[in-house]
Amino acid sequence: MSAYADLATRFRAYHTNSLNVALHMITTPMGIVAALVMARQAIDVEFLYEALVGAYVISLFVTLRNFGLWCATTAWMAGLVAVAELLAPRFTTSDSLKLFLVGYVGQELAHLITGEKTFQSTYQFKTPSWPMLLLEHTYFLLPLCIDALVHMKESFASWIVAHNYVVRCKLVNTEDKKALKAVVDFVTKEDPPRDCTAHWWYQRLNGDAKNAFTHVMECPEMMGMFQKRFRPDCYAIEAIPAMNEIYVASSHHANNSDTVFYTQHCDGPWSVFPFCHVYRVMLAVNENKQVETHFTMERNGGGPPPGD
């Protein structure tokens, strides 16, 4: 394995989050442009500046051993050199240092926001030779970011397009079953009519029924179901009490609220809002032999048993 390939493998482990990578594709070019501007201003002979940039790009052809990645890096460098040429006559050394600082701090913030450690923190001050690894890291930084762009866990398109995000769990422990029974007992006592659907909003519940509902909303199995799909270090997972209800279906198709389920509709906010998702969670509290729920993106469904 080449020096770059080994470095890239380690670098990817700390750049899996698509938001982190997206921010790196902004902050890394900022730092490179700042360095290019300072180099352009420091080297009076234009030919020497161009030769220096050219030597860097050619050296990458040898060290990367990946023609596609080298082409992508070269294209990026060409664009960054063009931007540096535009900024060099206008920037002071102070301006360049500020731009570099914004880029560096921006990378640190990107890792902080997304909960991913920085690759630099894994080796800095750990061994006497860490400065050499820092130089290697800096030399390969642009191709490393482009490589992370290809290998991140989700594409940028995943921020706004529909996904098959169906998640499942089963409530089976003693406390869970006790909560489900409390809900069944509440509904049985209320004795709703059979010819139409019935609804009891969570915020209007009291006593045992509300305590049982609260347990179901917050129990480890329910939260863990979402944490398996949405990384806890990246997402805040919260219930929306105002949308929650105890619901009893009806065997009749008239005079009920089930009609909405047969029509295409947006069931909650954030349908195309990046990083935000609203889930309709259905939990069966007793045997169901009359109503089937179909998950169209999975092409399956049925009547969930109690606890599902």
Side-chain angles (χ1 to χ4, degrees):
M1 182 179 287
S2 68
Y4 168 76
D6 177 64
L7 190 67
T9 300
R10 288 181 286 160
F11 186 85
R12 290 171 199 158
Y14 303 97
H15 300 82
T16 63
N17 185 284
S18 57
L19 176 60
N20 190 16
V21 175
L23 293 174
H24 272 63
M25 298 311 294
I26 297 172
T27 57
T28 297
M30 288 173 65
I32 294 174
V33 166
L36 288 171
V37 169
M38 287 187 284
R40 184 71 182 88
Q41 293 172 338
I43 302 174
D44 293 330
V45 182
E46 184 175 351
F47 171 78
L48 292 178
Y49 167 75
E50 294 172 349
L52 179 64
V53 175
Y56 170 70
V57 172
I58 293 171
S59 71
L60 286 177
F61 180 80
V62 177
T63 55
L64 289 179
R65 300 183 186 178
N66 183 324
F67 182 70
L69 180 59
W70 177 78
C71 288
T73 304
T74 301
W76 268 89
M77 279 300 299
L80 298 180
V81 167
V83 172
E85 283 293 318
L86 292 174
L87 296 180
R90 301 174 176 83
F91 266 37
T92 64
T93 301
S94 176
D95 293 331
S96 299
L97 290 173
K98 289 176 183 177
L99 181 62
F100 184 86
L101 185 62
V102 169
Y104 186 84
V105 173
Q107 286 200 358
E108 296 295 314
L109 288 175
H111 283 278
L112 182 64
I113 291 169
T114 58
E116 291 192 310
K117 290 173 60 178
T118 64
F119 176 52
Q120 185 176 333
S121 69
T122 65
Y123 63 78
Q124 192 170 25
F125 305 120
K126 300 294 176 64
T127 64
S129 62
W130 73 264
M132 293 302 297
L133 184 54
L134 178 61
L135 287 174
E136 187 179 37
H137 181 182
T138 304
Y139 170 76
F140 284 122
L141 186 55
L142 184 56
L144 284 172
C145 288
I146 296 173
D147 175 82
L149 186 66
V150 176
H151 291 91
M152 61 187 179
K153 288 185 176 180
E154 294 181 341
S155 73
F156 300 139
S158 69
W159 297 353
I160 59 172
V161 299
H163 291 269
N164 177 12
Y165 276 172
V166 177
V167 294
R168 293 180 172 86
C169 73
K170 191 171 185 68
L171 306 188
V172 295
N173 68 36
T174 302
E175 288 299 314
D176 298 339
K177 291 181 178 179
K178 182 180 177 181
L180 298 185
K181 185 177 184 304
V183 174
V184 172
D185 292 344
F186 167 79
V187 173
T188 302
K189 184 178 180 180
E190 290 290 316
D191 191 23
R194 304 296 193 270
D195 58 348
C196 65
T197 56
H199 306 258
W200 294 269
W201 295 103
Y202 168 78
Q203 292 178 318
R204 296 184 179 181
L205 294 174
N206 295 293
D208 292 342
K210 188 162 190 174
N211 292 336
F213 205 133
T214 302
H215 170 82
V216 168
M217 281 195 307
E218 300 174 352
C219 68
E221 291 79 7
M222 189 69 71
M223 300 305 291
M225 173 177 69
F226 292 107
Q227 290 168 352
K228 290 176 183 177
R229 181 59 190 82
F230 300 100
R231 294 166 48 167
D233 58 343
C234 298
Y235 289 89
I237 301 171
E238 300 175 357
I240 308 177
M243 294 182 68
N244 291 339
E245 61 177 322
I246 297 174
Y247 168 76
V248 178
S250 169
S251 59
H252 299 272
H253 295 291
N255 190 31
N256 70 49
S257 61
D258 288 342
T259 305
V260 69
F261 297 128
Y262 312 137
T263 58
Q264 187 174 9
H265 67 287
C266 177
D267 207 34
W270 319 120
S271 59
V272 294
F273 198 92
F275 315 118
C276 295
H277 307 267
V278 173
Y279 268 76
R280 174 179 284 274
V281 178
M282 294 176 289
L283 172 64
V285 298
N286 63 348
E287 289 291 343
N288 171 35
K289 298 179 180 179
Q290 293 178 301
V291 180
E292 289 188 348
T293 300
H294 290 271
F295 301 97
T296 55
M297 298 190 76
E298 290 193 337
R299 300 185 183 277
N300 64 23
D308 277 24

